[in-house]
Structure formats: structure tokens, C-alpha cells
Amino acid sequence: MKGKLGFGLMRLPKRGLGIDIKKTSEMVDMFLDRGYTYFDTAFVYPGSEAAAKKALVDRHPRDSYTLATKLMAGVSLNEKSAKEEFFTSLKRTGAEYFDYYLLHSIQADNYERYEKFHLWDFVQEQKKAGTIRHIGFSFHDKPELLEKLLKEHPEVEFVQLQINYADWESPAVCARQNYELVRKYGKQLVIMEPVKGGKLANPPAGVKKIFDEVNPGASYASWAIRFAASLDGLLACLSGMSTLEQVDDNTSFMNDFKPLSEEEMEAIRKAQKAYNASPEIPCTACHYCTEGCPKQIPIPEIFSAENLRLTTGHIGEARELYASAVGAGNGAADCIACKKCENICPQHIKVSEHMKSIAEAMK
């Protein structure tokens, strides 16, 4: 059976400061040639919707793929500008309509904006107009809020959740509980971050050892994606691919998809324990945090340097990585603890607390 792999257009290859359209086009072509059709972008992914137009929409028949994008109320000042995101996305992509449209990154500190701006009604209106085929939302919070949304909005057809083996029992992400609620309410599931922003493609040494003992020829990313894709009710399992090699690997093991065996699930359970014993900061480098930072601190890059220190103890290399990431006036010590980043972080990381300790460690 062919797996339900989706192409996440968030981490596309770069050329200078922009997206490399030639390489992206090659990746899109390989993905389609191998029988996969689901592409996922968002209004807030820099350059992604425009790249989708050039690499996908302008080059392939509209009925040969399905396209999803998202509206994020948190970046809009009022109802008018929030709704305008939809029309901007239509123009950027040139897609004429969206097969799947999501209200984006809903969590406790922003869900009321979607009500206040009448966005639930708006997407239903667009569905009636034919510019949206299926309505959903992406979610980053606790089961209590998820159930409230599912009860109040029966019109929702699918939900996008962060699910991976590392976060399955995480008290911050609540992956298992949220998944069970989506299935309880009979909604289809789209999985994001199955490889946790790439972290599970190169997991800690202890995790690698566990997987290598069971299947030494399999990529670590394949373990992560197959875990997520083995769940019931799946519409698409997204992988944010950045290279042709990643497209090749993902489509190869998903082409004749087989759910994890009991032996492999036992390896996953061991890997969960080993991964969660790691001291790493669980940043996935989505960069939502950097958009509104008044000090323009490169938070994900700083966390990357700190994680190098925490996991290897190589303080010299960590300080070099840190120094290359920050400039004058935007290092960890410049954090003013305004917590704008914490309010938008999908991983619910206490950024300001980490900045204090990192500033000390990187002196």
C-alpha cells in the first residue's frame, strides 16, 4: 500500500536569501512522479507560497496535486487584514482554489481571535464559494481546548497535529491525547513534525543504537515517519523536505508502506525513553518566535548552539556556533523577557529562562 506522504513546503532549499526554485522544482517533480500529491504551505512561511506557484502550480495540471495553506490570525491586526490573508494566498499561489485550508497554529493565547474575527464563518463562506474544498485547523495546545473546538465547530473536516515518537507522551505537546480526541470526533488527521523539525533524522547516539540493532539499513527519518504514518485516520503525514535526497528517501520507504511491526514498536518505545532522557531544548526551528522579537534575537540558532553544548559537552564548538549566529545587540544576554516568543512557540518553550542560562554559558 502506498503511504500517505505529504510534502511540507516550510524548509525548502535556499539560494542566497531566497528559495532555490530550480531545486524545489526538481523535488516537486520527483514527488509527483512517484505518485504523491499532497503539498502543504502557509501564509506565514517566508517565500513558500510564491515558490509553490513557480515550482508546482505553474508547471503541473491543477488536478494532478492537492494544495493546503493556512491563515494565521496572530499576525493580523484586525478582521479585515486576517481575511485578506486568504486572498493574498490565492494570488501568491495562483491555485484558483485550495483543496485544504487551515486556521493556523491555534492555541490558548490566540483561539479567541479566530472567533472575534469571524474566521470560522469566513472559511465556510469560501467553501460555499468553491475556493476551499475542505476546512481544518492546526493545533498546538492541550486536549481540553482541542475538545472545545471540536464540539463548537462540527464543520471541521480534518485537524493537523504535531505527532512524533519523541512527543507522544510529552506533557507539553500532548500528542497521544490530542490524536485520540481527533479520532473520537471522527475527523481526519494530518500529521506535522513527524521528524520533529529534522531532529529525529539525526537523533542522539543512544537512539541510533536502538534502531540500528533492529534495522541497520533504515534511515532514522524513516523510523520517525513510519511511526506517525502507522496511525489510523491519516489524510497526510507531512515531511518538510529540503533536498532531493530527502524526497528520494521518504518516497522510497513510503512507496510500499508497511505499518511498524511489534518488534519495531518495541524499538520505538525504547527510543522514546532514550530520547526523552536527552537534555536538548525541544526547538524545531520553525522561527515563529523570531517574527515579533523586539531585539531580533536568532532564537532557534542560539538553541542549536546550546544543544550542541548540552549533548556533546563541546563548549568551544558551541561558542563558535553561537558567535556565528548572533551579532551586536542580539545575543542571549539581550533578551528582555517580553515573552512574545513564548506566547507563540508551538513547543511551549520557556525561552526567556533559557536565554539567561545560555548567556552565562556562552560568555
Side-chain angles (χ1 to χ4, degrees), residues 11-42:
R11 306 175 194 277
L12 294 172
K14 296 294 180 69
R15 181 180 178 129
L17 296 177
I19 291 171
D20 189 323
I21 299 300
K22 183 175 183 294
K23 286 184 179 178
T24 300
S25 298
E26 291 172 357
M27 294 162 66
V28 164
D29 293 351
M30 178 182 284
F31 189 77
L32 288 169
D33 287 345
R34 296 189 177 182
Y36 300 91
T37 62
Y38 192 103
F39 293 85
D40 172 272
T41 182

Side-chain angles (χ1 to χ4, degrees), residues 102-323:
L102 300 89
L103 300 182
H104 192 190
S105 195
I106 296 181
Q107 46 196 357
D109 73 313
N110 69 19
Y111 81 94
E112 291 178 336
R113 290 173 71 87
Y114 290 92
E115 298 285 356
K116 179 182 176 183
F117 293 165
H118 305 103
L119 296 176
W120 299 99
D121 294 333
F122 174 71
V123 293
Q124 289 186 79
E125 290 165 7
Q126 293 305 317
K127 183 179 179 182
K128 288 177 183 176
T131 49
I132 293 174
R133 297 288 171 87
H134 301 285
I135 296 169
F137 65 91
S138 63
F139 185 79
H140 287 284
D141 217 302
K142 299 291 190 286
E144 295 77 16
L145 177 58
L146 177 58
E147 185 154 33
K148 171 182 167 66
L149 294 171
L150 290 170
K151 283 180 178 177
E152 293 178 356
H153 298 287
E155 72 275 12
V156 164
E157 299 167 81
F158 68 100
V159 180
Q160 186 162 309
L161 295 175
Q162 176 173 321
I163 293 180
N164 55 67
Y165 68 75
D167 291 325
W168 188 239
E169 297 292 352
S170 163
V173 178
C174 303
R176 178 181 58 79
Q177 299 98 313
N178 286 338
Y179 164 71
E180 290 171 354
L181 271 175
V182 167
R183 298 306 299 142
K184 172 185 171 182
Y185 282 83
K187 308 301 181 183
Q188 284 192 293
L189 174 72
V190 174
I191 292 176
M192 58 182 156
E193 302 288 4
V195 195
K196 202 172 171 64
K199 287 184 174 295
L200 302 186
N202 185 28
V207 174
K208 291 179 179 178
K209 184 174 184 293
I210 292 166
F211 290 152
D212 288 345
E213 287 175 355
V214 176
N215 190 349
S219 69
Y220 303 118
S222 74
W223 279 93
I225 291 175
R226 286 183 61 226
F227 168 80
S230 295
L231 296 172
D232 291 333
L234 188 65
L235 172 61
C237 180
L238 303 177
S239 177
M241 295 177 275
S242 305
T243 67
L244 203 60
E245 291 73 22
Q246 290 172 354
V247 179
D248 184 40
D249 181 42
N250 287 346
T251 55
S252 65
F253 65 76
M254 291 291 281
N255 188 52
D256 185 23
F257 177 72
K258 294 180 178 65
L260 294 174
S261 66
E262 183 49 44
E263 180 188 19
E264 289 171 321
M265 277 304 303
E266 180 57 30
I268 286 285
R269 287 188 280 270
K270 291 178 181 177
Q272 287 169 332
K273 292 179 181 178
Y275 189 91
N276 289 321
S278 168
E280 276 195 334
I281 300 167
C283 173
T284 64
C286 68
H287 281 90
Y288 292 172
C289 57
T290 57
E291 293 296 318
C293 177
K295 292 293 186 177
Q296 297 183 311
I297 297 171
I299 298 166
E301 289 73 20
I302 288 175
F303 282 164
S304 180
E306 175 68 350
N307 281 337
L308 177 63
R309 183 185 75 85
L310 291 172
T311 57
T312 68
H314 297 161
I315 185 63
E317 292 178 28
R319 284 174 175 160
E320 286 180 13
L321 186 60
Y322 174 84

Side-chain angles (χ1 to χ4, degrees), residues 68-81:
T69 195
K70 315 179 190 77
L71 185 161
M72 193 168 188
V75 299
S76 296
L77 297 175
N78 53 46
E79 181 174 335
K80 182 181 178 182
S81 61

